[in-house]
Amino acid sequence: MKIRTTEHLYDFISADLSWRKKELSVFKGQVEKAESGVRPALLRASIALLYAHWEGFVKNCAHAYLCYLASLKLSYLQLRPELAALAMRARLEEFETTNRSLIHATLVRDIREDAASRAKIPTSRDAVRTFSNLNYDRLCDILCSVGCDFSRYTPYQDLIDEQLLAARNRIAHGEEDYIRLTDWDDVRVEIIKMMDDISIQVLNSATQKSYLVE
């Protein structure tokens, strides 16, 4: 994906968020109009759909931001620590998994000598790791890695982990799970609120250049 300007980033994130909101709104209308015998099945499906949009948006939003940052051709020295660490993630993971002193020493030397070189910010969609299980802790890790504030979502931990993810997992594993319309709509509203806030954070980070080291 090529995103070279803040305008392009805004357009991409806005479009991605817009179609998701529209689909959830359409589904909400169908569930509300459904007959009592059909509604339980639709509500079960609605949890899976809501989770899919939640994970899909977070992944796409963060991925688009990384593609934008990569186009700026910044050095490790210029990036805030979280983003510099993300750019070096493969090397850091190798560091953690090996006991070889040579690899440890090489990484330390490269950090010292290549700090002014261009940061290799990953631009593949797999760089944003949800593991198809976007719980609260993984959300915090993703947002931290792209330099966003994750602490503001602490009040939503139970909603993410229990009301959305755990319910989705039970349904995905074939369990019978009763979902009330009011419960689903409450979760839908809060998830959309978080998606909106994440998009604002990312766009503000781009326009205010919060990716730069202070």
Side-chain angles (χ1 to χ4, degrees):
M1 184 193 307
K2 293 183 179 180
I3 297 183
R4 304 185 186 280
T5 67
T6 53
E7 290 78 12
H8 190 185
L9 180 65
Y10 173 83
D11 289 344
F12 177 88
I13 291 176
S14 296
D16 192 72
L17 185 56
S18 178
W19 81 267
R20 297 180 189 282
K21 286 182 177 180
K22 182 178 180 180
E23 185 164 285
L24 289 170
S25 179
V26 168
F27 205 88
K28 177 178 181 289
Q30 294 300 312
V31 172
E32 289 174 340
K33 292 187 296 183
E35 297 178 357
S36 58
V38 176
R39 182 175 289 180
L42 290 179
L43 283 169
R44 282 164 52 81
S46 71
I47 285 291
L49 179 66
L50 181 57
Y51 174 81
H53 281 307
W54 163 242
E55 179 181 319
F57 176 74
V58 170
K59 193 174 185 73
N60 282 357
C61 187
H63 177 220
Y65 185 48
L66 292 179
C67 290
Y68 169 70
L69 293 179
S71 75
L72 301 179
K73 302 178 181 180
L74 300 168
S75 70
Y76 292 103
L77 279 175
Q78 291 174 288
L79 290 172
R80 59 186 298 165
E82 300 91 339
L83 288 164
L86 177 62
M88 297 190 69
R89 184 164 64 188
R91 299 286 306 279
L92 292 172
E93 289 176 345
E94 183 184 22
F95 185 98
E96 289 182 354
T97 57
T98 183
N99 292 318
R100 296 178 61 189
S101 297
L102 177 60
I103 291 176
H104 293 173
T106 300
L107 177 59
V108 172
R109 186 192 64 231
D110 289 347
I111 290 173
R112 288 176 176 175
E113 297 179 356
D114 298 337
S117 65
R118 178 181 173 182
K120 297 177 182 178
I121 296 176
T123 57
S124 72
R125 199 163 181 271
D126 292 338
V128 184
R129 300 174 176 176
T130 62
F131 299 100
S132 300
N133 216 39
L134 185 57
N135 59 21
Y136 171 77
D137 287 340
R138 290 199 181 100
L139 173 68
C140 291
D141 187 63
I142 290 169
L143 294 178
C144 177
S145 71
V146 297
C148 288
D149 174 23
F150 56 86
S151 62
R152 61 210 291 170
Y153 305 114
T154 300
Y156 297 97
Q157 182 171 359
D158 180 73
L159 182 140
I160 294 169
D161 288 351
E162 299 301 327
Q163 298 180 58
L164 179 60
L165 182 58
R168 172 262 194 180
N169 287 343
R170 287 193 296 270
I171 291 167
H173 294 149
E175 296 181 29
E176 185 176 9
D177 201 31
Y178 176 72
I179 309 294
R180 295 188 302 178
L181 176 59
T182 53
D183 291 341
W184 176 78
D185 198 42
D186 287 345
V187 175
R188 181 189 66 85
V189 168
E190 294 304 314
I191 289 295
I192 289 176
K193 186 186 300 183
M194 280 192 289
M195 289 162 63
D196 278 328
D197 192 64
I198 290 169
S199 71
I200 292 170
Q201 275 212 75
V202 168
L203 291 169
N204 283 345
S205 294
T207 56
Q208 297 170 10
K209 300 183 178 181
S210 302
Y211 47 81
L212 297 175
V213 69
E214 297 179 357

